[in-house]
Amino acid sequence: MFSAKASNLPLARVSVQGDRLSGAVDLSVWMRLSEALVSVRAVNVSIDLIRRGQVVTADGGIEVIGEIPCARCLGAMPLQLTVPVHTGLAELESAVAALDPELEAVLAERGAVALQNWLEDEVLLALPMIPRCAEWVSGVCAVSGLEPLQCVG
């Protein structure tokens, strides 16, 4: 089993019988996610790893709990996101494509994946582009407490 707090994932240590990458990530190095969200309460990983020749397949998910700014009212709205992971980790992109063209390729420099960068990239790419709290017709926004007239756009 591999800890989600590790900085690197050495591909040579992944078993052909399978391993698991799990636990909470090291949020102290996830600066890009901290900048994108109002707050990050937890990020937990549960990914199955299996060696298939030169490629390690990674299947599972990343759970994110926090708050994201609403693009409409600029208030903080709750975010609970599950990011699916279906990836091939290898030193060569061609090895991943040859194994399964449906896999997203993540390159392992000198046989290791920069674990925190990879996981944070997966989460950042899954965030909504224009997050908006629930639609309302009149009155106070249930999420931000702002009146619709005070809202942007």
Side-chain angles (χ1 to χ4, degrees):
M1 181 151 90
F2 295 93
S3 169
K5 288 190 185 288
S7 59
N8 289 308
L9 175 64
L11 299 186
R13 293 192 49 216
V14 176
S15 166
V16 293
Q17 289 81 25
D19 279 305
R20 188 159 191 76
L21 172 64
S22 64
V25 301
D26 183 2
L27 287 174
S28 68
V29 298
W30 284 43
M31 303 313 278
R32 296 173 296 155
L33 184 65
S34 294
E35 291 172 3
L37 300 183
V38 174
S39 69
V40 182
R41 281 192 230 120
V43 178
N44 292 299
V45 177
S46 179
I47 298 175
D48 292 320
L49 304 169
I50 299 175
R51 170 175 296 292
R52 299 180 190 270
Q54 298 175 6
V55 179
V56 170
T57 59
D59 286 293
I62 306 168
E63 303 251 341
V64 181
I65 300 171
E67 293 178 312
I68 191 167
C70 172
R72 180 185 301 113
C73 69
L74 303 180
M77 63 184 227
L79 173 72
Q80 188 162 1
L81 180 67
T82 300
V83 180
V85 175
H86 183 62
T87 304
L89 311 171
E91 290 192 47
L92 299 171
E93 189 172 346
S94 59
V96 175
L99 177 67
D100 182 350
E102 297 296 314
L103 288 173
E104 175 188 338
V106 171
L107 298 181
E109 193 172 315
R110 289 194 270 316
V113 171
L115 187 59
Q116 300 305 312
N117 287 341
W118 166 48
L119 296 174
E120 187 179 26
D121 286 348
E122 293 289 339
V123 170
L124 289 169
L125 289 169
L127 290 176
M129 291 184 71
I130 304 173
R132 286 178 276 195
C133 52
E135 298 281 342
W136 73 89
V137 178
S138 64
V140 176
C141 172
V143 174
S144 68
L146 299 175
E147 294 282 341
L149 294 176
Q150 295 173 314
C151 293
V152 178

